[in-house]
Amino acid sequence: MSPHRPTRRDVLAHGAAALGAMTLAGCATTARRGGAAYPGYVDAHSHIWTPDTERFPLGPWITKAEMDPASFTAEQLLAVAEPAGVQRVVIIQHAPYYGDNNAYLLDCCKRYPGRFSVVAIVEERRNDLADHLRALKRQGVRGVRIGPTRYADRSMVADPMNWLNAPTMRRLWTLATDLDLVLCPLIGAEFLPTLEPMLADFPRTTIAIDHFGHAHADRPDELRALTQLARHERVHVKVSAFYKFGDRKPPYDDVAPLIHAVADAFGPRRMLWGSDCPYQLLNGNNYADAVALVESGLDFLDAPARDAILRDTAARLFFS
Ligand SMILES: [Zn+2]
């Protein structure tokens, strides 16, 4: 990437120190003010976890020794994000470690007002789902992660192709719509068509599909399954997890055709860049190159499109 274009990170380098700590208040409230306090990029998808398993216990299916990396805290995330011009992050509940216990994410959201928005995992079959979602929203949750897998071991549910055809799932979609929560499907490309009937039934529900829906640019049927969903106005696509596409290494320019196809179908106002840290930091990958591809690497994007993908869409969905 050739970073000749003046970038926002130059501005941030001077402004960051002055921002300092904000007054303590509810995370959701201050997140709304974050636009003024934190004008930098937004990472729409990252995970965090803490080695403090006393205070934030892991699910009973996993041991501390199995956490890999052993630590990726809010502080570690901000330390890699800020040098790339990213000031706010949508933190995504990590099922294999915490299941539907969102406590660590909520704690970080509270400790860093305005910096984080949370996508939680909920057990949609619980009787108090409505109250539970309302309580989570008060604590900074703006989205819910859904998919055809079980929380703990990511194995498929009993009848995966019918994962959305349950009354409890319809209740979750209804409540998410009423509470203005974004539903974030983590699905393989073969599941993209399973969204269609629900999207037709729930036209007001906001959706942000993880990691391009795992469609690959060189598989036309997958790409078509993804781009077809663009006719549903409230469907957004996370342009994220570059480390798992193309040749799986920087500078990620071979992901360009995939991003181009998504841009043609959805437009930048329905695209959100996300790192999927800490995985974007492993096996020779890095954070800065993932930002740089969208910031200065894709010649089919103009400056407002880059800003939409790197900040504005995620700010609107998760921080407004
Ligand atoms: Zn992820």
Side-chain angles (χ1 to χ4, degrees):
M1 301 303 101
S2 50
H4 300 307
R5 199 165 74 92
T7 66
R8 186 161 289 102
R9 82 181 62 155
D10 300 328
V11 179
L12 291 174
H14 302 286
L19 293 171
M22 296 179 67
T23 52
L24 279 173
C27 172
T29 312
T30 44
R32 249 171 248 130
R33 288 187 235 127
Y38 301 110
Y41 297 147
V42 178
D43 180 345
H45 190 114
S46 181
H47 308 282
I48 50 174
W49 50 79
T50 173
D52 185 358
T53 53
E54 294 287 312
R55 196 167 161 220
F56 300 101
L58 299 171
W61 53 83
I62 188 162
T63 65
K64 187 170 177 176
E66 292 173 278
M67 295 171 81
D68 183 23
S71 170
F72 193 67
T73 61
E75 291 74 20
Q76 289 174 277
L77 170 60
L78 291 174
V80 296
E82 284 179 333
V86 173
Q87 291 187 309
R88 292 179 285 173
V89 184
V90 184
I91 42 180
I92 314 288
Q93 173 70 353
H94 194 256
Y97 295 172
Y98 297 121
D100 64 350
N101 178 354
N102 302 286
Y104 180 58
L105 271 56
L106 297 176
D107 179 72
C108 294
C109 192
K110 188 174 171 187
R111 285 192 292 115
Y112 294 97
R115 307 300 295 272
F116 296 119
S117 181
V118 174
V119 170
I121 287 178
V122 300
E123 168 51 76
E124 73 273 2
R125 288 166 296 188
R126 59 190 292 160
N127 291 326
D128 64 343
L129 183 63
D131 289 343
H132 182 57
L133 288 172
R134 274 187 215 104
L136 287 174
K137 186 167 182 186
R138 278 196 297 276
Q139 296 172 83
V141 168
R142 295 299 307 275
V144 175
R145 179 164 235 202
I146 57 174
T149 50
R150 292 190 183 85
Y151 303 151
D153 59 7
R154 290 267 166 96
S155 67
M156 288 288 162
V157 295
D159 183 9
M161 280 298 161
N162 276 309
W163 69 288
L164 285 167
N165 298 335
T168 48
M169 196 49 99
R170 295 189 76 86
R171 195 158 64 100
L172 174 62
W173 282 57
T174 302
L175 288 165
T177 313
D178 293 347
L179 294 169
D180 198 20
L181 297 169
V182 181
L183 292 180
C184 299
L186 172 67
I187 52 177
E190 68 275 28
F191 289 98
L192 287 165
T194 67
L195 293 171
E196 280 285 356
M198 288 295 263
L199 295 172
D201 286 355
F202 291 88
R204 292 190 302 114
T205 310
T206 305
I207 306 290
I209 298 173
D210 285 355
H211 314 327
F212 303 93
H214 292 95
H216 290 80
D218 56 355
R219 297 178 202 155
D221 51 331
E222 293 184 358
L223 204 51
R224 209 175 307 115
L226 177 64
T227 55
Q228 269 180 0
L229 298 178
R231 64 197 173 84
H232 302 282
E233 274 175 29
R234 300 194 70 87
V235 175
H236 303 71
V237 178
K238 289 186 196 168
V239 174
S240 53
F242 293 168
Y243 67 91
K244 62 165 105 177
F245 293 93
D247 63 11
R248 299 165 185 250
K249 53 177 194 267
Y252 311 113
D253 42 1
D254 57 348
V255 188
L258 183 56
I259 301 173
H260 201 163
V262 171
D264 282 348
F266 290 86
R269 281 180 52 82
R270 293 202 277 158
M271 297 162 69
L272 317 77
W273 171 79
S275 67
D276 199 24
C277 275
Y279 302 107
Q280 179 59 35
L281 306 175
L282 306 178
N283 305 318
N285 292 284
N286 71 81
Y287 200 95
D289 279 330
V291 174
L293 181 71
V294 181
E295 185 178 57
S296 55
L298 304 165
D299 56 11
F300 52 88
L301 297 177
D302 60 14
R306 296 178 198 275
D307 282 346
I309 298 168
L310 285 169
R311 183 192 58 211
D312 299 338
T313 306
R316 193 174 74 242
L317 262 52
F318 292 102
F319 287 92
S320 64

